[in-house]
Each structure stands twice: as structure tokens, then as C-alpha cells.
């Protein structure tokens, strides 16, 4: 394993030489003057003075050699449609989308909010924004009006792109009414909305505000929109992610660093080369969708598969059918999807020819040993567990078959990825932990190219949230527990904060609590993540009512729980729905008023609640026990 460790060592010890070399993978319209500016820690600027463009590198750069080869392969089992866009087709659509944006007055630095399901237009508009230097902010389609309004108010977009509906399990899910509500709730709604009419549900356009995409597209189909060359550190996008407060953080990404980091990762981590086909089943609303549905594969001259559908419809062989049909070389999915497949007939895994497939990559949540082992055995393919975050943009820990093949261990995302100076840090002393000692997974700055540059509009929050956790050192905290074993294999041991992970979806418990608390009957609440066999975790809510009398009527409990669920669904979307809503008369708290979440989680998981010396009222724990 010499090579992989040596590669990593070089990337840390001589980072500037390392990244200057990797930067040659992309086209620079103006070469950079300095590889790194780290004069204002913890803010890092990579490839200073260099001018480039994500859309040019993902689309135009490949037109000479790959104009007629597939670039974007769209498969929808929801509306039973498949469209293969060649690189030339993609260029045409992206130029049309860019012309639409320009016509509506969108210029460099403006934000464009994209609220779309897994349809090609999501990629067209992301790339179109990149082309003209506008900053896209894609909002996950599973989120609802309140989430959307919060993001509109923070990003203050000049324009929104949306649609009549998404579809799940063959049933349309209306987007437009949620969008209208969100616009009504927000104080910074844009003047224009472009709507892709899929004809799934009736939709009324608001005169003077809403524009029909098909009409605009027809007008601009032959447009050639010049590329706007951005300085490497100028933002490409803002992607909101959950943290410990009710306000999501706008993770701001740069341009040049991201392009270089993703391009390199396609080879070193994902073993890809130009012409290969890459399939990530993530939604574009999440970071994996940004990095590995849209940008990574396209930047590296690979084709990308965009899939609208679930892993079990029309049957549990659909992922493998797509692999066979489109000669997929690498598949990226989430452990939850595999745990779901495990419940189906194993014969389905052998129905299709998977000879094109080299490896399967899983990320977004812990990959349990049993699931990883099961998948690699039934398919007889290597399974690569990779660990990272919205903030980092690409893997922190992973096997790197493009550097060296190494033996992997189930339950471990293997080793640190080049560029990431990862440590396990003791949260009380701030010192590095030894082997087998649990601590917080941390990254010594400067963060490598492609990682977040700041929180949108809030540098102070960036510094405080990510670099303020350890005494005596300014080191990035991932807010994950972890350890390294005697052989140098890393293990992730859960979050240190109140963020939960439901089926690979990162959710803030505070955001859900705020929604529960808006129900007039609720005085306060605690939402926690509880281990679940399939989804990894599920949310469980404990609510304290303003008056116990509210529960006296027959069926009152169920009725109230259903009402609270509805509030959550309307504000945060169906993804945030707790598995259970339970009523108690008090929450277990410390004497200083902090809810003892870890104790609640332990009780929910039938574990010992641990140290309770700080508890104000021990009977509150009995209530939790009883409610369960
Ligand atoms: O807790 C870790 C978990 O997901 C969090 C990041 O989620 P998100 O920002 O949505 O980014 C997902 C990018 C793949 C992490 O802080 N997580 C992610 N991957 C793994 C993981 N936990 C364990 N093992 C993983 N491979």
C-alpha cells in the first residue's frame, strides 16, 4: 500500500506542486498566477488569477472529439421515457437555457434558484448558469414551501426555474403550488419564474411573472451564448445544507478549484476515463447530484446517467437494467437503496449483464458491514464506501483504485483521500487522537480545491461553525465521530451534532422541531434520529402539549399526531416526516435547559442512557420510556 500513502503524503506536504499539476486537467482561458493563497486563514483561494468556466470544461471542451457521443442519458421510469443527449445536443440545450436566462436579465453573480425533479432541464440550467457566471442554487424537490422560502430569502435569486410536477412511484407530485406558497412567504422573491410544463398536473401561470420554458426554448434553440470566464475563486453555486440551527447554511463553491478537484476524482477515485459511462442515482438537489450526476463525469469527458425513479420500480432490477442498457462503468448509490434491494429476490441481481461495471460506490450515510459484504458477494464486484460532506464537495475518505488498488474492509471507508489532511481530534484537549481512540474527524486547513469557500453571505458563520470546535487550533470539524485502527483504516461513528441522516438525506432536527412547534397545541418538542434497519436513521418527535386536556378526547392523540405530520410535510416536505410522534409532559433537560438528546436517542434504541448527573427532572426520562 506504499503508493497510495505516498501519493497522499505528497498531496499534503507539497500541496502547491501537487495541485498545480492536477490543474492541467482542465482548460484555463487565463493561466493562474499562484496555486494557493492562504494569507487569510481559514479562507483558501486556489489557482489565483486563473480564469476558467465549468460549462466550457464540461461541454464545449469535448465537442471536438465527442460531439456525437452520449453525454447526458436521461432515464425516467416515472414517465417511461429515455432520452440520450449527445455532447452536441447538450451544448445546444445549454446554450438555449443560457439565452433564456440572459433574456430575463440574469447576469454574472446573479443567483438562479432551480427547483426541479430529476429531469434534463435541471442539468441544462445548472450548466447554463455556469456558462454565464450566474450562481445556481438547486433546492431538493422533496423539500416544501417553508424550506424553499428560507432559501429564496437567503439567496435572493433573480429568477427561479421550476415545473408543474415531479413524480414518485408513478404518482405525480405537484411542485407549482409549493413554489407559489414559497414565493408568497418570502420577502425576496424574484420577478420571473420559468416553468417546465411536463403535463403531469394542471398548472396556472401567474401573468407577468411565470414564463413557459418550451416557448422560450423554441425561440433560443440556435443561440450561441459566449462563455463568461470567471476568476477561479468566483462562486459557481450555493447549495443549502442542514446544520444545528433552524437556518440552513449556503455552502458556497468556487469555480476553478471545484473543476480541478472533480476532474481528478473521476480518475483517482472513480477509475473513469473520457468516453466511460457514469451513473449516480442521487438527486440533483443533493451534493452528490451536483458533483457526480452533473459536473464530475461531464468535466472528465464521460457520459452521465440521470435517473428519475426509485430502485424498485418497475422491479428491483432497474438499476442493473440501466447498467446493462447503457454500458455503465461505475455506479454510485446510497446504502439505503442497497438495503432495500436486499429485501427483494436475489435473482434480480443476476438478470442483467453487468460486465461493463467495474465498481459500485456507496456514500451519504454509514455503510453497514453486512450490506457492503452482501452486495459485493452477490455481484462479485468491488464495493467502495466513500465518506464526505456537502461542504467538501468530493470524497474525504475512500479507496482510490485510480491511484492504487488496496484491500478494503467492510465498515471502513478506507483511507484519507489525497488533498485532505484528515485527523481524529479529541474535542476537549484539541489534540490528535492515537490509534483506536474515538474523536472528531477533522481536516487541517487549508481545505483542498473544491471544498466550500465560505457560507453564502456569512464569512463569520463559516469560521465559527467549521473552525471553532477545538481548543487551541483552527481545524475544520466534520461534526462526525471517527477513529483510525492500528492498520490505518478509518471508521465513521456517527454525528457529534443534531444533524440526522434519513435514507442518505441530511436533515436538521432543529428545522423539524421548529415546524412541530408551529402547531398551536404544541408548547415544545424534541426531534431525534433513531437507528433504523433500512433507512439508517429515522426521525422520532416528542411533543409537549400546551395543555394535557387536549389529549382527553378519544382518538385525540392520533388526530394531533396526524396534524403535526401534515404541518411538517407542508413546511419541510415528506422527507422530513418523523416515523413517530409521541406526546410527553416534559422533555429531559439539563439544569441549564439543554435537551438531553443523546439520552432520548439511547432510550429509543433500547440502550443505556448513560451519564445523567446533569438532569433536572429524572421523571422526564420515565415519560419517554412510557411513551415508547
Ligand atoms: O455524517 C456523515 C454522513 O453524511 C454526512 C454528510 O452528508 P451530506 O452533506 O448530505 O453529504 C453526503 C455526501 C456523500 C457526513 O457528515 N456520511 C456521508 N458519507 C458517509 C457518511 N457516514 C458514514 N459513512 C459514509 N460513507
Amino acid at each position: 500500500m506504499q503508493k497510495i500513502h505516498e501519493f497522499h503524503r505528497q498531496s499534503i506536504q507539497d500541496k502547491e506542486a501537487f495541485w498545480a499539476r492536477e490543474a492541467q486537467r482542465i482548460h484555463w482561458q487565463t493561466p493562474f498566477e499562484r496555486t494557493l493563497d492562504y494569507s487569510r486563514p481559514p479562507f483558501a483561494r486556489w489557482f489565483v488569477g486563473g480564469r476558467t468556466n465549468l460549462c466550457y470544461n464540461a461541454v464545449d471542451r469535448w465537442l471536438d472529439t465527442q460531439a456525437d457521443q452520449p453525454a447526458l442519458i436521461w432515464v425516467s421510469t416515472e414517465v417511461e421515457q429515455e432520452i440520450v443527449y449527445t455532447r452536441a445536443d447538450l451544448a445546444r440545450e445549454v446554450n438555449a437555457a443560457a439565452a433564456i436566462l440572459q433574456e430575463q436579465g440574469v447576469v454574472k453573480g446573479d443567483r438562479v434558484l432551480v427547483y426541479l425533479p430529476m429531469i434534463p432541464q435541471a442539468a441544462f440550467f445548472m450548466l447554463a448558469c455556469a456558462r454565464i457566471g450566474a450562481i445556481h442554487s438547486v433546492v431538493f424537490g422533496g423539500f416544501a414551501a417553508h424550506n424553499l422560502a428560507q432559501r429564496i430569502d437567503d439567496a435572493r435569486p433573480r429568477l427561479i426555474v421550476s415545473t408543474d410536477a415531479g413524480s414518485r412511484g408513478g404518482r405525480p407530485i405537484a411542485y407549482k403550488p409549493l413554489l407559489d406558497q414559497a414565493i408568497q412567504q418570502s420577502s425576496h422573491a424574484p420577478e420571473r419564474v420559468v416553468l417546465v410544463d411536463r403535463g403531469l398536473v394542471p398548472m396556472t401561470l401567474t401573468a407577468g411573472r411565470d414564463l413557459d420554458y418550451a416557448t422560450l426554448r423554441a425561440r433560443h434553440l440556435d443561440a450561441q451564448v459566449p462563455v463568461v470566464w470567471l476568476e477561479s475563486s468566483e462562486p459557481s453555486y450555493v447549495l443549502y445544507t442542514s446544520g444545528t440551527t433552524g437556518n440552513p447554511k449556503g455552502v458556497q463553491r468556487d469555480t476553478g478549484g471545484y473543476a480541478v478537484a472533480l476532474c481528478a476524482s473521476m480518475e483517482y477515485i472513480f477509475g473513469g476515463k473520457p468516453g466511460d459511462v457514469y451513473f449516480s442515482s442521487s438527486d440533483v438537489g443533493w451534493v452528490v447530484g451536483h458533483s457526480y450526476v452533473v459536473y464530475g463525469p461531464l468535466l472528465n469527458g464521460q457520459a452521465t446517467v440521470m435517473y428519475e425513479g426509485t430502485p424498485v420500480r418497475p422491479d428491483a432490477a432497474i438499476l442493473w437494467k440501466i447498467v446493462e442498457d447503457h454500458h455503465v462503468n461505475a455506479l454510485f448509490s446510497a446504502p439505503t437503496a442497497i438495503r432495500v434491494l436486499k429485501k427483494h429476490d436475489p435473482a434480480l441481481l443476476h438478470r442483467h449483464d453487468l460486465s461493463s461495471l467495474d465498481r459500485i460506490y456507496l456514500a451519504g450515510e454509514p455503510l453497514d458491514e453486512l450490506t457492503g459484504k452482501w452486495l459485493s458477494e452477490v455481484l462479485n464486484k468491488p464495493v467502495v464506501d466513500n465518506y464526505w460532506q456537502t461542504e467538501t464537495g468530493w470524497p474525504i475518505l475512500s479507496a482510490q483504485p485510480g491511484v492504487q488498488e488496496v484491500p478494503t474492509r467492510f465498515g471502513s471507508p478506507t483511507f484519507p483521500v489525497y488533498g485532505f489532511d484528515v485527523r481524529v481530534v479529541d474535542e476537549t484537549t484539541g489534540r490528535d487522537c492515537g490509534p483506536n481512540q474515538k474523536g472528531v474527524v477533522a481536516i487541517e486547513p487549508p481545505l483542498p480545491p473544491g471544498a466550500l469557500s465560505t457560507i453564502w453571505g456569512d464569512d463569520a458563520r463559516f469560521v465559527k461553525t467549521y473552525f471553532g470546535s477545538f481548543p487551541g487550533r483552527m481545524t475544520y470539524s466534520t461534526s462526525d465521530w471517527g477513529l483510525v485502527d492500528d492498520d490505518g483504516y478509518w471508521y465513521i461513528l456517527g454525528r457529534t451534532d443534531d444533524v440526522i441522516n434519513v435514507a442518505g438525506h441530511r436533515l436538521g432536527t432543529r428545522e423539524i422541531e421548529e415546524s412541530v412547534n408551529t402547531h398551536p397545541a404544541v408548547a415544545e418538542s424534541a426531534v431525534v434520529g433513531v437507528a433504523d434497519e433500512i433507512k439508517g436513521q429515522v426521525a422520532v418527535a416528542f411533543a409537549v402539549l400546551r395543555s394535557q386536556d387536549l389529549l382527553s378526547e378519544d382518538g385525540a392523540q392520533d388526530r394531533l399526531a396526524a396534524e403535526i405530520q401534515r404541518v411538517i410535510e407542508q413546511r419541510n416536505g415528506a422527507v422530513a416526516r418523523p416515523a413517530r410522534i409521541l406526546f410527553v409532559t416534559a422533555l429531559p433537560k439539563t439544569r441549564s435547559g439543554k435537551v438531553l438528546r443523546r439520552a432520548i436517542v439511547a432510550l429509543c434504541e433500547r440502550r443505556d442512557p448513560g451519564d445523567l448527573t446533569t438532569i433536572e427532572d429524572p421523571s422526564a426520562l420515565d415519560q419517554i420510556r412510557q411513551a415508547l
Side-chain angles (χ1 to χ4, degrees), residues 388-412:
W388 48 295
Q389 308 185 301
T390 304
E391 288 84 348
T392 65
W394 56 289
I396 308 169
L397 301 174
S398 182
Q400 297 142 63
V403 178
Q404 184 186 14
E405 293 279 2
V406 297
T408 53
R409 290 184 186 172
F410 293 110
S412 163

Side-chain angles (χ1 to χ4, degrees), residues 302-517:
Q302 299 181 226
T304 184
V305 177
M306 186 177 196
Y307 173 53
E308 182 184 44
T310 72
V312 291
R313 230 179 130 264
D315 61 36
I318 181 64
L319 295 183
W320 317 118
K321 179 174 186 307
I322 295 173
V323 168
E324 176 178 55
D325 288 353
H326 299 285
H327 312 289
V328 170
N329 305 106
L331 170 68
F332 189 147
S333 191
T336 292
I338 307 305
R339 286 191 291 263
V340 168
L341 296 187
K342 219 161 104 186
K343 301 244 166 215
H344 289 76
D345 181 0
L348 293 170
L349 284 114
H350 300 294
R351 199 167 76 191
H352 296 279
D353 175 7
L354 303 184
S355 55
S356 63
L357 189 66
D358 295 326
R359 278 176 206 85
I360 298 158
Y361 292 83
L362 300 174
E365 51 175 321
L367 172 61
D368 58 285
E369 212 174 313
L370 281 178
T371 303
K373 199 156 180 271
W374 173 81
L375 184 66
S376 80
E377 283 173 7
V378 288
L379 290 187
N380 194 23
K381 303 271 182 194
V383 171
V384 178
D385 178 2
N386 58 118
Y387 160 80
W388 48 295
Q389 308 185 301
T390 304
E391 288 84 348
T392 65
W394 56 289
I396 308 169
L397 301 174
S398 182
Q400 297 142 63
V403 178
Q404 184 186 14
E405 293 279 2
V406 297
T408 53
R409 290 184 186 172
F410 293 110
S412 163
T414 324
F415 303 133
V417 170
Y418 57 89
F420 286 97
D421 188 358
V422 205
R423 314 287 178 90
V424 178
V425 176
D426 182 299
E427 59 170 353
T428 43
T429 65
R431 281 200 282 273
D432 283 7
C433 295
N436 299 309
Q437 201 189 334
K438 178 176 166 178
V440 181
V441 178
I443 306 166
E444 211 47 51
L447 297 178
L452 81 169
S453 11
T454 187
I455 291 178
W456 175 253
D458 203 343
D459 284 352
R461 190 176 177 196
F462 168 69
V463 178
K464 186 162 169 276
T465 307
Y466 297 111
F467 295 90
S469 304
F470 307 113
R473 67 196 275 191
M474 196 197 253
T475 300
Y476 173 93
S477 168
T478 61
S479 298
D480 282 305
W481 298 110
L483 67 74
V484 186
D485 73 10
D486 290 322
D487 303 321
Y489 283 81
W490 286 65
Y491 294 83
I492 299 298
L493 307 170
R495 295 283 301 194
T496 66
D497 59 12
D498 305 331
V499 168
I500 60 172
N501 199 317
V502 179
H505 298 156
R506 175 168 164 181
L507 301 173
T509 48
R510 286 293 149 89
E511 293 172 58
I512 308 175
E513 278 168 15
E514 281 182 9
S515 294
V516 176
N517 297 350

Side-chain angles (χ1 to χ4, degrees), residues 96-117:
I100 292 173
L101 295 177
Q102 280 187 332
E103 190 184 47
Q104 297 310 319
V106 176
V107 295
K108 178 181 157 182
D110 282 347
R111 276 78 57 209
V112 172
L113 192 136
V114 177
Y115 183 54
L116 287 174

